[in-house]
Amino acid sequence: MQMATAKRVILGTPVFDGDAARIGYAINAMCFSFNNAANRQAFLEDEDAYCAKFNLTPEQRDAVRQRNVLAMIVAGGNVYYLAKLAGIFGLNVQDLGAQQTGKSVAEFKQMLLDQAKGI
Amino acid sequence: MAKVIGGIFTSHVPAIGGAIAKGLQEDPYWKPFFDGFKPVHEWLKDNKPDYVVTFSNDHGLNFFLDKMPTFAVGAAPQYDNADEGWGLPLFKSVPGAPELSWHIINTLVEEEFDIVTCQEMLIDHALSIPLELSWPNSNGYDFKLVPVGINTVQHPLPSPKRALALGRAVHKAIESWDEDAKVLIFGTGGLSHQLDGERAGFMNPDYDKFCLDNLPSNPDALTKHSALDIVELSGSQGIEILNWIAARGAMGDGAREASRNYHIPISNTAAATVLMTTDHALTLA
């Protein structure tokens, strides 16, 4: 595919562009369906069947099975949609942040608090 | 003719909705944020808008990746909140203003903005929370809403320069609306924060201060960065500042800061609340 400009890399920062939107369509579509409570329940009752219904790629299915946020992002997941999946498991954005940065939740929360110093 | 009386700019972190539901306004974690709305409440006692025009981004409630508009203007008779996937209590519905919406739509297209129009539109926490923060525990809203959605989800995003120009075109529409009406602008989201990737938890108080210092008197300063520059400076969700930039444009020239609050952290976010007023606001004693 011809690029208008070279892709810009921002360290540790996913840029959800057209490539990501294409490869991530299935997992994001599944997450979008979780706006509906009955769909959340259906996922909890039979995760395999629910993922199959949305044709998740093997990479996406593995990432969901492992509850691995970074792997979901590599497979095209967008955090605005993934947050709906995380909600099913009762996880908030500190839980997600801790997992992605390799910190404990307490360490991650402290890192957030520490950024108030000097403002 | 309609006049813009002011602008309310605030973060829209979903957890704020949870704090409202639990009544945590005086809790030590939340109080520094909620206190930023005290001057807003005082000002709103005397300044009652007939219309509210908002700039915010959808978070996967109203739009999905099947159809992702860069700029979307609501033209619905009513806007409802809905379950965003967390099963939280729903916020109030807001009455729409289809006539003003279509006037804004017509003006924007005349000004060569190729927008999407939405006669049905759900509103998510990015609108419901700022409205609830501004008019807490009200029985319903006395104003009518025109929501403008800006894509901050799927790159390429509109440039800050384009967002400011969109806002200025909305201002032109408001000023040419043939009704003696008061209009209040909202810009929501930000400030610096990042939810995803190895850099999750990133904030940048220096960049936030640059935005807060320049937005009232020199909003063009914020357009020296590209959208991707802002992602780098402010985090992948810090780009929601695009909503603030457009909202500032919609206020027209001559906005001034009336109150400012900045607090780290609310959830993963450097949270801010700013009230700006214009010469058309009722002057307070």
Side-chain angles (χ1 to χ4, degrees):
Chain A
M1 187 180 71
Q2 185 176 338
M3 301 296 297
T5 50
K7 279 209 190 201
R8 176 159 165 184
V9 175
I10 302 170
L11 205 63
T13 304
V15 173
F16 187 77
D17 60 7
D19 289 340
R22 287 167 66 196
I23 66 164
Y25 199 86
I27 187 172
N28 291 317
M30 182 178 82
C31 292
F32 182 67
S33 79
F34 295 144
N35 285 333
N36 181 304
N39 291 340
R40 300 196 290 272
Q41 189 58 36
F43 174 89
L44 285 171
E45 284 171 5
D46 191 343
E47 181 173 326
D48 272 330
Y50 202 82
C51 290
K53 183 175 147 191
F54 281 86
N55 296 311
L56 264 59
T57 67
E59 293 77 15
Q60 291 167 353
R61 181 70 194 96
D62 283 346
V64 171
R65 188 179 290 114
Q66 293 162 16
R67 316 291 190 241
N68 183 327
V69 179
L70 287 175
M72 291 181 210
I73 291 170
V74 168
N78 176 285
V79 73
Y80 286 128
Y81 303 107
L82 297 180
K84 301 173 196 293
L85 173 63
I88 293 179
F89 307 121
L91 301 174
N92 63 31
V93 290
Q94 283 84 54
D95 298 310
L96 299 190
Q99 188 196 97
Q100 292 176 95
T101 56
K103 292 179 164 63
S104 70
V105 174
E107 288 167 346
F108 186 77
K109 286 183 173 174
Q110 189 61 47
M111 182 268 276
L112 297 172
L113 289 167
D114 288 345
Q115 294 185 68
K117 288 173 187 164
I119 64 166
Chain B
M1 293 296 175
K3 297 292 180 195
V4 174
I5 57 172
I8 295 171
F9 301 75
T10 185
S11 305
H12 62 220
V13 181
I16 297 167
I20 291 170
K22 292 176 195 151
L24 297 177
Q25 289 86 345
E26 295 296 319
D27 175 271
Y29 181 88
W30 290 100
K31 185 174 168 54
F33 174 74
F34 280 98
D35 280 355
F37 274 85
K38 287 182 175 171
V40 174
H41 297 158
E42 283 301 309
W43 186 81
L44 287 172
K45 281 182 192 169
D46 296 311
N47 293 277
K48 298 184 189 304
D50 302 297
Y51 297 100
V52 165
V53 177
T54 59
F55 296 84
S56 62
N57 59 291
D58 181 70
H59 298 71
L61 177 68
N62 192 68
F63 296 120
F64 180 58
L65 303 174
D66 56 341
K67 305 170 191 74
M68 181 56 70
T70 298
F71 298 127
V73 182
Q78 176 171 305
Y79 300 92
D80 298 329
N81 185 217
D83 188 348
E84 293 185 53
W86 307 305
L88 296 174
L90 296 188
F91 290 96
K92 286 189 281 286
S93 296
V94 190
E99 295 83 4
L100 177 57
S101 287
W102 282 103
H103 174 69
I104 289 173
I105 289 162
N106 292 337
T107 306
L108 286 174
V109 175
E110 276 169 24
E111 296 287 315
E112 301 186 327
F113 286 89
D114 305 316
I115 43 144
V116 169
T117 59
C118 304
Q119 290 202 70
E120 292 184 37
M121 195 183 218
L122 294 170
I123 54 173
D124 72 8
H125 65 270
L127 264 192
S128 298
I129 286 176
L131 295 179
E132 183 62 34
L133 284 166
S134 299
W135 292 277
N137 303 313
S138 66
N139 291 322
Y141 295 120
D142 296 330
F143 55 80
K144 293 175 177 174
L145 174 69
V146 179
V148 181
I150 299 181
N151 169 31
T152 68
V153 174
Q154 177 183 281
H155 291 256
L157 307 180
S159 70
K161 185 180 165 192
R162 189 67 172 159
L164 184 60
L166 174 84
R168 284 174 171 155
V170 169
H171 183 75
K172 186 174 177 179
I174 292 167
E175 294 256 293
S176 65
W177 176 242
D178 190 14
E179 181 187 338
D180 182 20
K182 292 177 295 222
V183 180
L184 179 61
I185 308 295
F186 273 74
T188 89
L191 291 179
S192 59
H193 66 300
Q194 177 159 336
L195 304 177
D196 47 348
E198 294 87 347
R199 199 175 68 145
F202 172 80
M203 298 176 219
N204 186 347
D206 290 337
Y207 176 72
D208 291 340
K209 186 172 188 311
F210 163 80
C211 292
L212 294 170
D213 287 349
N214 280 289
L215 203 61
S217 58
N218 184 24
D220 290 277
L222 277 71
T223 68
K224 74 177 186 181
H225 298 115
S226 70
L228 281 172
D229 289 340
I230 295 178
V231 169
E232 182 156 6
L233 284 164
S234 189
S236 42
Q237 284 74 43
I239 189 60
E240 291 171 346
I241 191 77
L242 286 177
N243 302 317
W244 288 46
I245 295 171
R248 173 62 191 85
M251 288 188 69
D253 295 334
R256 68 189 77 80
E257 179 183 299
S259 71
R260 180 202 291 197
N261 185 49
Y262 182 73
H263 175 71
I264 288 179
I266 287 298
S267 188
N268 289 19
T269 301
T273 302
V274 175
L275 169 65
M276 291 186 216
T277 61
T278 72
D279 289 340
H280 302 294
L282 186 79
T283 307
L284 294 178

